[in-house]
């Protein structure tokens, strides 16, 4: 296991070849994305899966990108598993549950801004942390674990199991990357959501919040306030996304603003933050400075929001 690293460093094997293993934990769903002619295209997506998908394309081949979740044993679950494998994402740690299936969501667009309708009551992913031994096995040998607030929200009673496994990963020298990705509809109430998010933040080495969501949930007056709240929770590196505005980084006490070039034509903002996270992490994990890492994340996000759907073929 490699030692956990902070800003400006990298994970390498002893020969100096950059390599590592990142495991993304969460829910992959069936996506129905709108087309220009009013019909819908079926695909597969989900916040942590979107980031894994773009990470696989942005990271060197020496890195492995795995996904951990649960799916069903039905035909749609078969197609999802094949899709992940074809994308080069490791599927060893995807459990198949015969009495469950996969969730589904439909994207609705209004002037490029998206809203979602969900059907996930029987989603197998809700049970991804039910088996502590399987969870521990999935994290064994991982250099980086990536999860989101949605991962936490769907787990219900199993959140403590997941957080304990992340504590153990960090004790072995691994890194935890956390996107709070606040979705209030997934939580019983705002208090439970905010408490769970900040508890998870205490286990994070990198936090990737979005200011607009954080301001609504926590009352942050500015992106800087969001960054400092996560820093106070013990996160060494905080990267605050702020829509079309600048990106804020707070690394070991040093605050910096990074300007982002505006996107001329925004078609669909689905996966904007997920793809930014992937571009940023791929650059940061391979040793690039924060300025270049932010630019890499913004470049991928710009291409994604210029197209329909979460996952685009050309990036």
């Amino acid at each position: 296991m490699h030692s956990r690293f902070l800003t400006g460093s990298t994970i390498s094997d002893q020969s100096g070849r950059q390599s590592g293993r990142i495991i993304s934990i969460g829910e992959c769903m069936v996506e129905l994305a709108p087309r220009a002619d009013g019909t819908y295209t079926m695909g597969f997506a989900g916040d942590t899966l979107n980031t894994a998908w773009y990470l696989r394309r942005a990271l060197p081949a020496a890195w492995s990108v795995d996904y951990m979740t649960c799916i069903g044993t039905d035909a749609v679950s078969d197609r999802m598993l094949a899709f992940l494998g074809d994308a080069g994402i490791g599927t060893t740690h995807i459990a198949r549950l015969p009495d469950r299936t996969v969730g589904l969501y439909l994207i609705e667009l209004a002037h490029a801004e998206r809203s979602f309708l969900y059907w996930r009551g029987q989603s197998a992913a809700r049970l991804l942390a039910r088996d502590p031994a399987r969870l521990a096995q999935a994290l064994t040998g991982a250099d980086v674990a990536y999860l989101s607030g949605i991962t936490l929200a769907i787990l219900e009673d199993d959140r403590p199991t997941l957080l304990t496994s992340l504590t153990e990963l960090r004790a072995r020298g691994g890194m935890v990357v956390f996107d709070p990705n606040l979705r209030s509809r997934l939580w019983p109430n705002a208090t439970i959501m905010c408490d769970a998010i900040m508890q998870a933040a205490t286990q994070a080495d990198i936090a990737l919040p979005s200011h607009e969501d954080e301001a609504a949930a926590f009352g942050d007056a500015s992106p800087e306030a969001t960054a400092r709240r996560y820093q106070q929770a013990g996160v060494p590196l905080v990267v605050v996304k702020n829509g079309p505005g600048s990106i804020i980084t707070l690394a070991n006490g040093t605050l910096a603003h990074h300007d982002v070039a505006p996107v001329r034509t925004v078609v669909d903002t689905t996966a904007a933050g997920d793809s930014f996270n992937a571009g940023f992490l791929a650059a940061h994990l391979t040793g690039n400075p924060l300025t270049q890492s932010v630019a890499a994340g913004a470049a991928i996000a710009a291409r994604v929001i210029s197209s329909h759907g979460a996952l685009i073929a050309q990036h």
Side-chain angles (χ1 to χ4, degrees):
M1 172 67 65
H2 301 289
S3 297
R4 187 162 64 248
F5 60 94
L6 298 177
T7 309
S9 60
T10 185
I11 291 176
S12 304
D13 61 23
Q14 294 186 355
S15 67
R17 176 177 59 83
Q18 291 180 351
S19 63
R21 174 176 173 251
I22 184 166
I23 185 164
S24 187
I25 305 168
E27 181 180 27
C28 181
M29 305 179 72
V30 173
E31 177 194 76
L32 297 180
R35 296 163 53 109
D37 62 3
T39 61
Y40 286 82
T41 299
M42 175 182 164
F44 299 106
D47 66 336
T48 56
L49 182 277
N50 301 340
T51 298
W53 197 87
Y54 288 110
L55 272 170
R56 178 60 285 165
R57 283 148 182 76
L59 281 168
W63 281 78
S64 62
V65 178
D66 296 341
Y67 198 65
M68 183 189 177
T69 192
C70 295
I71 61 175
T73 56
D74 52 277
V76 174
S77 296
D78 290 343
R79 290 178 61 183
M80 179 180 289
L81 195 66
F83 169 81
L84 296 175
D86 290 345
I89 296 170
T91 60
T92 300
H93 301 292
I94 296 179
R96 308 203 67 175
L97 308 180
D99 57 342
R100 294 277 181 139
T101 184
V102 294
L104 178 149
Y105 72 93
L106 181 148
I107 301 172
E108 293 185 315
L109 290 176
H111 306 294
E113 286 301 320
R114 80 276 195 231
S115 60
F116 303 95
L117 296 175
Y118 290 96
W119 295 266
R120 68 197 325 164
Q122 292 300 309
S123 172
R126 291 179 176 274
L127 303 179
L128 69 85
R130 184 59 50 90
D131 184 344
R134 191 178 73 83
L135 183 58
Q137 182 181 28
L139 292 175
T140 298
D143 296 289
V144 182
Y146 177 85
L147 74 155
S148 75
I150 293 177
T151 308
L152 298 177
I154 66 171
L155 293 185
E156 301 175 350
D157 296 337
D158 296 325
R159 287 180 213 125
T161 302
L162 177 58
L163 294 181
T164 296
S165 71
L166 297 177
T167 301
E168 294 169 352
L169 172 68
R170 296 182 84 214
R172 298 193 299 267
M175 170 186 283
V176 174
V177 181
F178 178 51
D179 180 352
N181 208 359
L182 301 167
R183 297 293 181 267
S184 60
R185 288 183 298 175
L186 296 177
W187 297 88
N189 58 59
T191 299
I192 291 174
M193 176 180 73
C194 292
D195 287 349
I197 292 297
M198 295 314 297
Q199 183 180 9
T202 65
Q203 297 302 317
D205 298 283
I206 300 176
L208 297 158
S210 297
H211 173 62
E212 182 178 4
D213 294 341
E214 301 285 330
F218 290 94
D220 297 339
S222 66
E224 293 83 358
T226 295
R228 295 198 185 282
R229 177 166 48 79
Y230 281 98
Q231 181 193 49
Q232 290 169 3
V235 184
L237 173 58
V238 186
V239 182
V240 183
K241 294 160 286 188
N242 191 28
S246 63
I247 303 294
I248 306 297
T249 58
L250 183 56
N252 297 320
T254 301
L255 187 72
H257 295 251
H258 308 265
D259 292 330
V260 175
V263 178
R264 289 186 178 182
T265 303
V266 178
V267 174
D268 179 358
T269 57
T270 304
D274 306 331
S275 58
F276 172 87
N277 293 351
F280 172 84
L281 287 171
H284 177 69
L285 293 174
T286 52
N288 290 281
L290 284 179
T291 298
Q292 292 182 18
S293 299
V294 168
I300 291 182
R303 290 191 286 274
V304 170
I305 66 177
S306 299
S307 302
H308 286 287
L311 307 179
I312 61 172
Q314 299 299 321
H315 48 89

